[in-house]
Amino acid sequence: MNLAHVHLLLNHTPTIGFGVAICLYAVAFFGKNESLKRTGLVLLFLAAVLAIPTYISGNFAELRLCPEGECLSGVSRALIRSHEDAALIAFCVMEITGFLAWLALWQWRAWQRVPGWNSAAVLVLSLATFAAMANAANKGGEIRHSEIHPPGDAVVAADQAEPGSQAAGDAAAAEKTGEGEGLARWLGAVMSGTTGVAWLWAASETIHFVGLCLLFTVVLFVNLRLLGMAKSLSFVSLYQLLPLGMIGFGMNLVTGIGFFMAKPAMYDTWVFYWKIALVVLGGVNVLYFTMLDEVWAVGSGDDAPASAKGIAASAIAVWLGVLFCGHMLPFLGVSF
Amino acid sequence: MMEFFQWLEGIPFSVWVREAPTVWAYPTVLLLHTVGMALCVGVAAGIDLRILGLAPSVRLSPLEKFFPVLWGGFFVNAITGTILVMQDATSKLLNVDFYVKMVFIALAVVTVRLIRKRVFTNPRLDDGPLSSDAKVLAALSLLFWIGAITAGRLLAYIPSFA
């Protein structure tokens, strides 16, 4: 099993998983069933969390399909590029939808109701996400499934050009380098500074550090309180801080994906696989603090139940682990 | 002065931190510096943002209990920061950006201490609205910490002047 295999395993969650989630949410939305609606929101959020390793593993799959820049026979670099761009757009919309779905869960717990604007925004955005993701999935399927290419496809045409003709030569050259093609590669080049935005990498690193501090504000206040520090704070009051942690995470997701897009091959290392796996665990972890009654019931002066303390300790360990893996990338991973 | 910087760089501990091919040398010192930042600025930013009006139902007075976490992170960073400067003294100590960072940290520490002394000693802290002085201090503290992080990160990019 390699990372290409992981991509194949994960790549059904943002489409099939998200589709199931939308159906549940839409039925609940129009049927006004609150608990079913929350189930739908949880699934939408989890699909958005799993979309992170799905997007990232796609780049590793490309490195397996096109080792040393030379693609395996029958694999079209142009198809990969078009899949990557469609996936990037779908990924961006899905992360926004996932954030709003989480916000709806948070609002429901905080205020016992979700404002109408957010319920509607989740519905509309999730439909847009599904359309974008289905498009990305379709383009992804074409990479290794020639049986689904429509006849006369522009990409197929390159393969069918007269050998030795100008068209075939151009196509082959573009196939080989994969340069100058597509949105994702362009953004990656802008991030890496090779297209002239030299300060962008350093600025993004600074934002990544500030985001890390905001995330740790919430991780420390909430989890140290549950472990027994400053017990006069109720969980209900600290709950107001959770969106701040999400904003810190969002800052780091945007800048982090930017670093990754600039130099995907640099991240093809076990330290980074662990980092992303821990981020997924962190996503599951935040659902506990957003949803569960046992932690919500921890009032001013209360000792948190043992299970809440266990989860709190695991939350600190998970986020320290994310920090550790990110920090160790240049030292334990592929050297930068 | 330069001889002193060279001497600092040349003592066996500095050489070990800089050159030992083990994860326990430079990588671990730098890791602790990042973890210290997360503890110190994480807590400071939380207190600052609360004073500025975020999460109003979190009572401020119990947050005083988190100051030891803040100072714990700060002292980890004072120690690891000293080590990081020692092992690269001829470059770091001749970099304007390093002194910018030190000024930001000094100012940030002053604001944190003033917040502790002026804001947290009020026995009726959670009974009424906070003074505008408290809010100005909190905003400055946030600004100085972000300045320190930015200057610290840019140390890897801004060349030294010698």
Side-chain angles (χ1 to χ4, degrees):
Chain A
M1 171 148 145
N2 65 20
L3 265 288
H5 192 178
V6 170
H7 187 60
L8 294 176
L9 288 174
L10 284 171
N11 66 22
H12 297 91
T13 53
T15 39
I16 313 283
F18 204 78
V20 171
I22 292 178
C23 291
L24 259 184
Y25 184 74
V27 165
F29 183 87
F30 292 110
K32 302 204 185 328
N33 181 328
E34 283 303 316
S35 63
L36 197 60
K37 203 160 137 186
R38 286 169 71 213
T39 310
L41 290 169
V42 170
L43 290 178
L44 290 173
F45 172 73
L46 286 176
V49 170
L50 284 171
I52 298 171
T54 309
Y55 181 79
I56 283 169
S57 61
N59 280 270
F60 299 146
E62 179 184 354
L63 292 167
R64 305 295 180 278
L65 278 174
C66 306
E68 316 286 329
E70 198 79 48
C71 294
L72 303 182
S73 87
V75 174
S76 154
R77 178 85 79 168
L79 276 181
I80 294 178
R81 285 285 80 79
S82 110
H83 167 55
E84 181 178 25
D85 286 354
L88 176 63
I89 291 164
F91 176 61
C92 292
V93 193
M94 180 173 269
E95 292 313 296
I96 296 167
T97 311
F99 171 74
L100 289 179
W102 175 82
L103 189 68
L105 290 168
W106 181 85
Q107 288 165 330
W108 188 88
R109 171 115 272 184
W111 309 327
Q112 283 77 55
R113 55 176 286 277
V114 179
W117 67 265
N118 197 14
S119 289
V122 169
L123 187 66
V124 172
L125 273 171
S126 58
L127 290 171
T129 305
F130 187 71
M133 200 53 89
N135 177 42
N138 188 40
K139 289 186 160 146
E142 287 183 16
I143 294 170
R144 284 306 245 172
H145 295 273
S146 53
E147 72 276 18
I148 63 174
H149 285 292
D153 192 303
V155 179
V156 180
D159 290 342
Q160 292 167 347
E162 281 293 315
S165 71
Q166 180 67 31
D170 289 351
E175 291 274 284
K176 227 172 200 164
T177 60
E179 293 301 329
E181 300 167 62
L183 177 69
R185 286 297 136 140
W186 178 79
L187 280 172
V190 170
M191 261 309 286
S192 69
T194 48
T195 343
V197 195
W199 52 267
L200 200 55
W201 186 277
S204 301
E205 281 183 335
T206 306
I207 293 170
H208 208 71
F209 275 40
V210 173
L212 175 166
C213 288
L214 294 180
L215 179 60
F216 266 85
T217 294
V218 181
V219 169
L220 291 169
F221 281 12
V222 172
N223 297 305
L224 290 179
R225 156 62 184 96
L226 291 173
L227 289 171
M229 192 180 273
K231 270 192 194 166
S232 63
L233 291 169
S234 66
F235 181 80
V236 173
S237 69
L238 287 170
Y239 187 81
Q240 282 192 332
L241 286 171
L242 295 190
L244 178 71
M246 223 23 134
I247 288 168
F249 178 77
M251 287 162 74
N252 283 18
L253 180 63
V254 171
T255 50
I257 291 288
F259 300 138
F260 176 76
M261 282 167 63
K263 301 172 180 177
M266 290 289 196
Y267 294 86
D268 195 358
T269 163
W270 64 270
V271 202
F272 190 66
Y273 311 153
W274 271 106
K275 173 164 181 168
I276 299 307
L278 287 168
V279 164
V280 171
L281 272 182
V284 177
N285 197 282
V286 80
L287 274 182
Y288 172 85
F289 296 106
T290 313
M291 309 263 323
L292 263 79
D293 290 334
E294 69 167 20
V295 69
W296 182 254
V298 176
S300 179
D302 290 352
D303 197 29
S307 54
K309 285 184 176 171
I311 302 275
S314 78
I316 295 176
V318 161
W319 292 112
L320 277 178
V322 170
L323 189 158
F324 174 85
C325 291
H327 174 85
M328 284 301 178
L329 269 169
F331 305 113
L332 296 177
V334 181
S335 180
F336 271 70
Chain B
M1 205 54 146
M2 199 59 185
E3 286 87 64
F4 174 65
F5 297 164
Q6 280 164 349
W7 173 81
L8 265 180
E9 255 183 33
I11 60 176
F13 180 66
S14 300
V15 175
W16 179 79
V17 169
R18 190 172 60 241
E19 289 167 15
T22 159
V23 81
W24 297 107
Y26 184 80
T28 298
V29 178
L30 199 60
L31 171 70
L32 292 175
H33 204 64
T34 311
V35 173
M37 175 194 75
L39 298 180
C40 176
V41 184
V43 170
I47 290 171
D48 294 338
L49 288 168
R50 169 60 188 82
I51 292 173
L52 288 171
L54 187 91
S57 64
V58 177
R59 284 184 300 116
L60 250 179
S61 50
L63 291 184
E64 193 172 15
K65 297 249 168 57
F66 288 96
F67 274 101
V69 179
L70 189 163
W71 292 123
F74 181 81
F75 284 111
V76 167
N77 278 20
I79 293 164
T80 52
T82 306
I83 297 171
L84 290 168
V85 166
M86 274 169 63
Q87 55 88 37
D88 192 23
T90 56
S91 159
K92 295 284 185 288
L93 291 173
L94 292 177
N95 195 324
V96 178
D97 185 47
F98 173 74
Y99 296 98
V100 171
K101 175 174 172 173
M102 290 304 111
V103 169
F104 272 126
I105 288 174
L107 290 170
V109 166
V110 169
T111 54
V112 169
R113 290 192 54 90
L114 283 174
I115 286 169
R116 180 87 182 261
K117 260 169 72 179
R118 300 262 174 90
V119 182
F120 277 87
T121 46
N122 178 1
R124 296 158 55 82
L125 184 55
D126 288 304
D127 293 347
L130 286 156
S131 69
S132 55
D133 283 4
K135 294 198 174 188
V136 169
L137 275 177
L140 285 174
S141 165
L142 209 52
L143 192 75
F144 293 149
W145 285 121
I146 291 174
I149 291 175
T150 307
R153 188 57 282 194
L154 294 185
L155 267 176
Y157 296 93
I158 294 174
S160 53
F161 51 73

